[in-house]
């Protein structure tokens, strides 16, 4: 049987899923594609995410080169997270997901309306 790393090397889709394949990472990228965010802003915006999950997700995405963490030398210190240049290349993926989600909602609503008739 192949290891997880071997599957990722062979399959580009598996590589992408491994990097961003959970709900929270996708939603973090969704937010960061608009502008840099501070940790507390992200946590408030991502309803239901725990501090630990957000911290782990941001660290993982930073280690994978998708996110940058900038610490500003201010009092109190300010930290912002933004998409790296590599992370910005994921914009078309999120844009396509957004477009598909909108289409799905429209089709779903039409189907429900037709069933009521």
């Amino acid at each position: 049987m192949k290891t997880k790393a071997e599957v990722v090397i062979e399959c580009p889709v598996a590589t992408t899923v491994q990097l961003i394949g959970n709900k929270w990472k996708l939603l973090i990228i969704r937010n960061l594609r608009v502008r840099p965010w501070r940790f507390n802003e992200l946590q408030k915006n991502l309803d239901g995410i725990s501090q630990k999950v957000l911290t782990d997700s941001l660290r993982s995405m930073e280690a994978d080169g998708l996110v940058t963490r900038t610490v500003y030398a201010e009092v109190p210190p300010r930290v912002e997270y933004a998409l790296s240049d590599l992370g910005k290349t994921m914009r078309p993926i999120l844009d396509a997901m957004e477009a598909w989600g909108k289409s799905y909602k429209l089709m779903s609503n039409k189907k429900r309306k037709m069933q009521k008739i």
Side-chain angles (χ1 to χ4, degrees):
M1 180 159 46
K2 294 180 181 180
T3 67
K4 190 175 180 181
E6 290 171 330
V7 171
V8 168
I9 289 169
E10 287 182 19
C11 178
V13 174
T15 300
T16 306
V17 169
Q18 183 175 350
L19 291 171
I20 63 162
N22 74 47
K23 168 186 170 180
W24 296 119
K25 286 183 179 180
L26 285 169
L27 294 177
I28 291 166
I29 292 171
R30 175 203 65 192
N31 286 12
L32 295 180
R33 74 185 171 141
V34 177
R35 64 173 175 85
W37 288 64
R38 294 174 76 171
F39 185 91
N40 287 337
E41 289 180 304
L42 283 168
Q43 190 172 19
K44 287 177 188 171
N45 185 267
L46 300 172
D47 191 36
I49 193 169
S50 70
Q51 183 174 343
K52 180 184 180 347
V53 170
L54 181 55
T55 298
D56 290 348
S57 296
L58 288 168
R59 284 183 182 159
S60 170
M61 293 166 67
E62 185 180 9
D64 291 333
L66 301 175
V67 170
T68 60
R69 180 180 185 268
T70 305
V71 181
Y72 294 92
E74 301 173 353
V75 177
R78 177 171 54 110
V79 178
E80 285 185 346
Y81 295 90
L83 288 179
S84 66
D85 288 341
L86 178 62
K88 289 175 184 174
T89 65
M90 301 196 88
R91 279 190 173 133
I93 296 168
L94 274 284
D95 291 344
M97 291 176 76
E98 181 180 20
W100 187 89
K102 286 178 181 177
S103 295
Y104 174 80
K105 282 185 175 184
L106 286 172
M107 288 187 296
S108 204
N109 288 338
K110 285 180 184 176
K111 186 177 178 181
R112 273 189 240 132
K113 286 179 184 177
M114 295 296 287
Q115 289 174 345
K116 289 182 181 180
I117 296 177

